[in-house]
């Protein structure tokens, strides 16, 4: 519910237009890219921009503004009474991640979640990833979500070093839907049946987007954006 609330709070199309005006970019749920061979539009679960729904979900969880400072507080557990504050990392080397992070600071703040944005370099980011000491980050998606068979271990925590949910010296506790993704990816990597693979990836993408495993912001076709703005691009330039 918390991840769904973040999704409802994000004005993806507004962010996309702030990055590049026109039809080149659009809001996106996350998961497989629309251009992926195994992508099935019907499998996608999308929580669109809807701040009232975000506030309702946060209230259901038990996060409330108890002191009228427009920031939600925890009401139970060891952090009861403390504000909900999350750090959002952006890349020093990718300006667009900073623009997205700046927009999310305001949009998530509007539903009561205080976001501290921090810009870090690639070396620091690698250290943070290895240590698992991060709350949220803005990233450009990788190739596995365009061509899943290229690197299937990047799709779910099938390995101990899966980036979003690494295992330390203690066994990790997976959420139910994470185990479902692990099982699907294990089946996917062991079959060469095209129809079977497509069906498995549809199941994967449905679970991924329904649970907002990684919240997408916007997606676009680089080649199309280039062709409309830049001259002398060679024929056959890949869209990814």
């Amino acid at each position: 519910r918390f991840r769904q609330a973040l999704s409802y709070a994000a004005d993806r199309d507004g962010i996309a237009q702030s990055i590049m005006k026109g039809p080149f970019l659009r809001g996106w749920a996350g998961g497989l890219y629309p251009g992926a061979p195994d992508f099935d539009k019907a499998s996608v679960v999308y929580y669109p921009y809807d701040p009232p729904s975000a506030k309702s979900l946060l209230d259901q969880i038990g996060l409330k503004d108890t002191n009228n400072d427009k920031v939600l507080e925890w009401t139970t557990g060891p952090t009861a009474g403390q504000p909900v504050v999350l750090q959002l990392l952006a890349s020093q080397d990718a300006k667009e991640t900073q623009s997205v992070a700046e927009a999310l600071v305001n949009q998530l703040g509007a539903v009561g979640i205080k976001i501290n944005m921090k810009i870090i370099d690639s070396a620091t980011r690698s250290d943070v990833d290895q240590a698992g000491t991060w709350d949220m980050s803005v990233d450009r998606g990788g190739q596995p979500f365009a061509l899943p068979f290229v690197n299937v271990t990047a799709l779910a925590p099938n390995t101990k070093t899966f980036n979003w949910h690494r295992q330390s010296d203690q066994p990790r506790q997976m959420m139910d839907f994470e185990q479902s993704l692990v099982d699907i990816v294990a089946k996917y990597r062991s079959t060469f049946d095209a129809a079977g693979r497509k069906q498995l990836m549809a199941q994967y993408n449905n679970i991924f987007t329904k649970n907002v495993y990684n919240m997408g912001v916007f997606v676009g076709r680089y080649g199309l954006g280039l062709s409309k703005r830049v001259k002398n691009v060679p024929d056959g330039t890949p869209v990814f």
Side-chain angles (χ1 to χ4, degrees), residues 77-106:
T79 54
Q82 297 182 28
V84 181
V85 181
L86 297 173
Q87 185 181 77
L88 179 61
L89 303 177
S91 172
Q92 177 179 300
D93 310 314
K95 182 65 178 176
E96 289 76 12
T97 67
Q98 298 173 33
S99 299
V100 172
E102 289 170 354
L104 289 174
V105 168
N106 295 324

Side-chain angles (χ1 to χ4, degrees), residues 11 15 26 40 76 87 100 105 109-110 113 136 154-155 167 183 191-192 200 202 234:
D11 181 4
I15 294 174
R26 60 180 174 82
D40 178 4
T76 59
Q87 185 181 77
V100 172
V105 168
I113 301 172
M136 299 191 298
L155 298 174
Q167 181 167 309
D183 295 341
T191 180
F192 291 92
L200 286 168

Side-chain angles (χ1 to χ4, degrees), residues 42-126:
S43 71
V44 178
V45 178
Y46 185 54
Y47 304 102
Y49 183 50
D50 185 354
S53 291
K55 292 179 180 179
S56 176
L57 284 169
L58 295 171
D59 183 70
Q60 290 175 29
I61 294 169
L63 304 178
K64 302 181 184 297
D65 182 8
T66 57
N67 56 10
N68 296 316
D69 65 350
K70 297 184 179 181
V71 177
L72 298 174
E73 284 83 38
W74 306 95
T75 55
T76 59
T79 54
Q82 297 182 28
V84 181
V85 181
L86 297 173
Q87 185 181 77
L88 179 61
L89 303 177
S91 172
Q92 177 179 300
D93 310 314
K95 182 65 178 176
E96 289 76 12
T97 67
Q98 298 173 33
S99 299
V100 172
E102 289 170 354
L104 289 174
V105 168
N106 295 324
Q107 292 172 10
L108 300 184
V111 298
I113 301 172
K114 184 176 181 181
I115 300 296
N116 290 333
M117 174 186 167
K118 184 177 182 180
I119 300 173
I120 59 175
D121 57 36
S122 57
T124 302
R125 176 59 193 271
S126 295

Side-chain angles (χ1 to χ4, degrees), residues 154-172:
L155 298 174
N158 294 67
T159 65
K160 293 182 179 181
T161 56
F162 180 69
N163 211 35
W164 307 333
H165 195 170
R166 291 173 179 259
Q167 181 167 309
S168 63
D169 54 346
Q170 300 294 325
R172 63 187 164 196

Side-chain angles (χ1 to χ4, degrees), residues 157-201:
N158 294 67
T159 65
K160 293 182 179 181
T161 56
F162 180 69
N163 211 35
W164 307 333
H165 195 170
R166 291 173 179 259
Q167 181 167 309
S168 63
D169 54 346
Q170 300 294 325
R172 63 187 164 196
Q173 293 183 345
M174 291 194 197
M175 293 175 279
D176 291 342
F177 78 87
E178 280 186 297
Q179 187 59 56
S180 296
L181 295 179
V182 168
D183 295 341
I184 290 171
V185 169
K187 292 178 182 177
Y188 177 82
R189 71 186 305 184
S190 65
T191 180
F192 291 92
D193 175 63
R197 279 187 159 187
K198 189 175 182 68
Q199 184 179 27
L200 286 168
M201 279 295 100

Side-chain angles (χ1 to χ4, degrees), residues 14-27:
I15 294 174
Q17 288 301 304
S18 72
I19 298 295
M20 182 187 294
K21 289 188 179 299
F24 309 113
L25 306 178
R26 60 180 174 82

